[in-house]
Amino acid sequence: MKRGKRGLAFLLAALLLFCLSACTQPVGEPQSSEEPSSSGEAFYTVDIYALGTAADPIRAEIEERANKIVEEACGARVRLRYLGSKENCLQQVKLAVSTGEKCDLFPSFEIGVGAMVNNNLILPLNDYLPLCDVEIREEIPAEDWDCVTLNGKICGVPINREKANGRGFVYRRDLAEALGVDPDSIQTMDDLEALLVRVRDAYPDMYPITTSTGMARLPLPYDRLGDSLGVLEDSFSDSTQVVNLFETDAYRAMVELQWKWANMGLIIPDGSNNTSNEFALMRAGKAFGHFANVKPDKERETTSGTGYPTAIFQIVPPYSESTLVSSMWNICSTSENPEKAMLVLNEMYTNPELANLFTYGIEGKTYRVIDREKRLIGRMENWDTRQNQYSFAIWSWPNELLVDVWEGDPPDIWQRVQRYNSEARPSPARGFVWDDTKMLGQVTACTIVLDKYRDALECGSLDPATALPRMNEELRAAGIDEIVREKQAQLDRWIVQQKTPGTAG
């Protein structure tokens, strides 16, 4: 947000880039990704892999407007590739890295910093952050940088959004009230079960609980410690003992409940193979509710997404862990000019005009201004998604705290997000980053086992009386005990470093 040192920082960056170019390229040999601007000057094109969708005319206009900003600020241009879901985006990044295709910037979400490093997907930012002076560092709380730093290497820039999560159950308020149930009366899981039974009986064509594209999102407060292979069982406890989540009483009780509910007809059948989004099923009138991560103004978001008034039964209060904070924007290992990529990324985090452009698209085409002074915007009237296809993946862009407020959100939504982040309970391991380098074989083997059982167990599709012991037996054979021991050793060393002056971080 602070832009007073822009001119000096850019001149210094330009000088450094000139020196780097002189040292690494033969004189007169242009870079392969340079494109002329409207003035004829050649600029490096930064390829940005992004979430969501945009029709070609919309994408082209966003690029054109963005380039007017980044040409002047960064001496570069941008090219956008909208890749739909976060899973597909990561898959395309991996494909680019495996084939040597150029990719400059991309987002990643809660997959573990160590996995990014060991898959050679990213470049450390230590050599490139100084190009931005202090601007981008001032946008990110100091403690958040620890969550993306592995062995002294800063692996990405944390996304400025909710950096904590509560857990709860989102459901249609109108149907609960039609059954005479006050949402405030839902205080326990038994209360929730009673409501689900009434929904099942009153609306036989509706699933009381739906999964989200095959995932259940169970309300358990564990710290994943990077990959869920060895966790802290309770983020609200001071305990730093690493355990196998799938052997804990809490996990067993939760999957037993899912199995019970599935047999009572309360969960969508074969939920782990459900390919539909939970909002789509609720919007179509086929589902009553779903388990979800809970954040500020979640009710408005779910009401907008489903088309029905919703309520939330909060089960786990908000807490924060490294894995959640490590959702970040990265410089790809196949970038041909990481210096320019860093300058563009800095602009994406600090320039409100560019942030709004990437987040919301084109005023008058993808959104309308409702109150310019209050920075309030909303959906276009008579919106035609077939003609003007554009999806608003607000949470996936670098810094939502810079952008305008969407119609229906409270005017102070971004201040609420910041308070939510600061007031959430930090896990005792927040800031610890798991390095799985020594355990790659075991991690791969255990992941294969989890892929075989976990979603089916958590969606109530497998009987935990037989499947859970079998899964744990296979996990032990795959090496989960070794992972737990190594992760515990790393966590213990990290804790000592936090207590030793001059060694933390």
Side-chain angles (χ1 to χ4, degrees):
M1 296 182 194
K2 298 184 179 179
R3 314 187 56 78
K5 299 183 180 180
R6 165 72 61 198
L8 177 59
F10 179 69
L11 288 174
L12 291 173
L15 178 59
L16 176 57
L17 290 172
F18 174 80
C19 295
L20 289 168
S21 303
C23 294
T24 59
Q25 293 187 353
V27 175
E29 181 178 325
Q31 290 203 38
S32 60
S33 297
E34 288 184 351
E35 291 186 6
S37 69
S38 57
S39 65
E41 184 178 357
F43 289 118
Y44 177 78
T45 298
V46 174
D47 284 311
I48 302 174
Y49 285 25
L51 270 56
T53 55
D56 279 344
I58 296 294
R59 176 197 53 75
E61 188 167 353
I62 292 173
E63 285 181 359
E64 180 182 0
R65 296 190 181 198
N67 284 329
K68 291 179 181 178
I69 298 172
V70 299
E71 282 181 11
E72 179 180 354
C74 310
R77 293 174 65 84
V78 298
R79 181 164 47 219
L80 293 167
R81 287 190 60 186
Y82 292 93
L83 296 167
S85 68
K86 61 185 180 181
E87 292 81 11
N88 187 58
C89 183
L90 181 61
Q91 182 179 0
Q92 292 302 312
V93 170
K94 289 180 178 179
L95 180 61
V97 170
S98 67
T99 61
E101 179 183 351
K102 185 174 87 73
C103 168
D104 293 288
L105 297 173
F106 71 94
S108 59
F109 302 91
E110 303 174 39
I111 64 171
V113 173
M116 302 288 288
V117 172
N118 286 319
N119 284 285
N120 193 34
L121 300 182
I122 58 176
L123 293 176
L125 303 186
N126 303 58
D127 293 337
Y128 309 117
L129 279 169
L131 296 173
C132 306
D133 195 34
V134 297
E135 284 190 325
I136 200 167
R137 283 189 174 275
E138 289 183 342
E139 293 295 328
I140 310 298
E143 62 272 17
D144 290 354
W145 289 102
D146 293 338
C147 299
V148 296
T149 301
L150 180 63
N151 299 326
K153 296 179 179 179
I154 302 171
C155 297
V157 185
I159 295 176
N160 257 348
R161 58 169 193 164
E162 297 86 7
K163 298 175 184 177
N165 263 340
R167 314 274 190 216
F169 186 77
V170 176
Y171 62 96
R172 283 183 53 178
R173 175 188 291 269
D174 59 328
L175 295 184
E177 291 177 345
L179 293 172
V181 176
D182 179 0
D184 291 338
S185 70
I186 309 299
Q187 299 291 326
T188 68
M189 296 296 278
D190 288 340
D191 295 335
L192 177 60
E193 180 178 306
L195 172 59
L196 296 172
V197 169
R198 295 187 65 182
V199 169
R200 178 200 63 192
D201 295 342
Y203 307 100
D205 295 330
M206 179 178 290
Y207 307 120
I209 300 175
T210 183
T211 58
S212 173
T213 56
M215 295 185 295
R217 297 199 182 104
L218 299 184
L220 294 169
Y222 59 92
D223 184 328
R224 289 168 285 181
L225 298 179
D227 56 15
S228 297
L229 296 171
V231 305
L232 299 188
E233 182 179 359
D234 185 357
S235 294
F236 293 89
S237 164
D238 292 331
S239 173
T240 55
Q241 180 182 358
V242 180
V243 299
N244 174 5
L245 169 69
F246 311 106
E247 290 184 327
T248 63
D249 291 340
Y251 185 84
R252 177 182 49 76
M254 189 58 69
V255 294
E256 286 176 348
L257 182 63
Q258 296 298 99
W259 174 249
K260 171 190 171 185
W261 282 357
N263 282 280
M264 293 171 63
L266 303 182
I267 300 178
I268 183 173
D270 198 17
S272 59
N273 288 320
N274 168 36
T275 58
S276 297
N277 176 279
E278 67 271 38
F279 283 4
L281 286 171
M282 292 181 70
R283 190 165 53 246
K286 294 181 179 180
F288 172 69
H290 63 276
F291 288 105
N293 297 330
V294 179
K295 60 181 183 178
D297 206 36
K298 181 72 173 182
E299 284 187 16
R300 188 219 58 83
E301 178 187 295
T302 53
T303 296
S304 175
T306 64
Y308 296 100
T310 59
I312 297 175
F313 166 40
Q314 178 117 13
I315 302 169
V316 177
Y319 69 97
S320 185
E321 51 163 1
S322 293
T323 312
L324 182 62
V325 181
S326 68
S327 292
M328 57 187 178
W329 273 80
N330 316 274
I331 296 180
C332 187
S333 59
T334 62
S335 174
E336 295 173 2
N337 195 326
E339 295 85 4
K340 288 294 188 184
M342 185 71 249
L343 292 176
V344 170
L345 188 57
N346 180 69
E347 202 70 15
M348 291 166 67
Y349 270 88
T350 61
N351 185 322
E353 182 182 1
L354 187 63
N356 264 311
L357 182 63
F358 283 159
T359 302
Y360 295 125
I362 308 298
E363 178 185 342
K365 294 186 177 180
T366 60
Y367 70 91
R368 63 189 176 96
V369 174
I370 296 172
D371 189 319
R372 197 171 301 277
E373 183 177 345
K374 295 180 179 179
R375 298 185 62 189
L376 179 65
I377 64 176
R379 189 174 294 277
M380 294 289 297
E381 297 175 357
N382 302 318
W383 174 261
D384 185 343
T385 56
R386 293 166 298 178
Q387 181 180 353
N388 299 313
Q389 185 181 14
Y390 186 81
S391 57
F392 300 94
I394 300 171
W395 52 272
S396 71
W397 291 100
N399 193 356
E400 69 179 17
L401 305 184
L402 277 184
V403 302
D404 294 344
V405 175
W406 193 256
E407 182 181 18
D409 279 333
D412 63 343
I413 180 60
W414 305 133
Q415 289 76 22
R416 292 190 186 191
V417 168
Q418 289 175 302
R419 285 199 302 272
Y420 178 80
N421 290 341
S422 63
E423 294 173 1
R425 167 68 182 250
S427 159
R430 191 185 192 278
F432 166 73
V433 176
W434 158 236
D435 182 359
D436 63 0
T437 304
K438 297 178 181 179
M439 294 283 124
L440 291 180
Q442 292 90 331
V443 167
T444 299
C446 288
T447 300
I448 291 171
V449 174
L450 291 184
D451 287 346
K452 181 178 175 182
Y453 292 101
R454 185 176 183 181
D455 284 341
L457 272 168
E458 295 183 1
C459 293
S461 302
L462 283 178
D463 183 354
T466 55
L468 184 57
R470 189 162 63 245
M471 182 179 79
N472 276 313
E473 182 180 350
E474 293 183 23
L475 283 172
R476 285 190 291 273
I480 195 168
D481 292 338
E482 297 170 60
I483 295 172
V484 167
R485 285 193 294 271
E486 174 62 22
K487 190 174 284 189
Q488 183 74 70
Q490 291 186 25
L491 179 59
D492 289 345
R493 288 195 295 271
W494 176 82
I495 292 170
V496 170
Q497 290 173 354
Q498 305 314 296
K499 297 177 180 178
T500 306
T503 63

